Amino acid sequence: TLQTTPTGDHRIELQTTRRGDYDLAIRTATQLRKVVPNVELTDHGYHALDLVLLNGDVDGDNSVTVFDYAALSDAFDTTVGDATFNPAADLDADGSVTVFDYAVLSNNFDLSGDN
């Protein structure tokens, strides 16, 4: 397991000394896990992958369920700095938990990430 932080332009840069073909699993704190099979790691620098991660996993269990709705509801109508603000519930990353975060969650409700 390697951990990295996305850049400001939603790219992930991964540095490793491993070489060969690997299944690469990618997820963020609120996005569902996506497995990309047979990614070739070489000495030639970066390998570009185009993929979309689905958002809405407030509780971090790799599924979008009623428990995520409950966690979002607990933080509803809060902003950064409020005592009950939950950054994982701010699915659109605008600094506030609003109806727009419910929309993100609803779009991916009942989905699970790859194993």
Side-chain angles (χ1 to χ4, degrees):
T1 300
L2 301 170
Q3 295 184 349
T4 186
T5 303
T7 64
D9 59 356
H10 302 281
R11 292 170 12 123
I12 297 172
E13 295 179 2
L14 175 68
Q15 294 181 353
T16 181
T17 57
R18 294 181 182 209
R19 301 297 176 253
D21 291 341
Y22 291 89
D23 293 346
L24 184 62
I26 302 169
R27 73 163 292 158
T28 70
T30 63
Q31 293 173 317
L32 301 177
R33 185 174 192 244
K34 176 76 175 173
V35 175
V36 182
N38 301 316
V39 175
E40 182 183 7
L41 302 178
T42 69
D43 291 328
H44 301 303
Y46 72 91
H47 182 92
L49 300 172
D50 280 330
L51 58 101
V52 174
L53 299 178
L54 301 176
N55 202 358
D57 183 17
V58 179
D59 66 3
D61 68 353
N62 201 35
S63 295
V64 182
T65 67
V66 295
F67 299 109
D68 298 297
Y69 271 109
L72 196 150
S73 294
D74 288 343
F76 185 72
D77 205 23
T78 62
T79 60
V80 173
D82 291 346
T84 57
F85 178 75
N86 177 355
D90 182 16
L91 297 172
D92 63 1
D94 68 351
S96 299
V97 181
T98 66
V99 68
F100 298 109
D101 299 298
Y102 277 110
V104 171
L105 194 152
S106 294
N107 283 339
N108 296 313
F109 184 71
D110 209 23
L111 296 179
S112 294
D114 296 338
N115 290 324

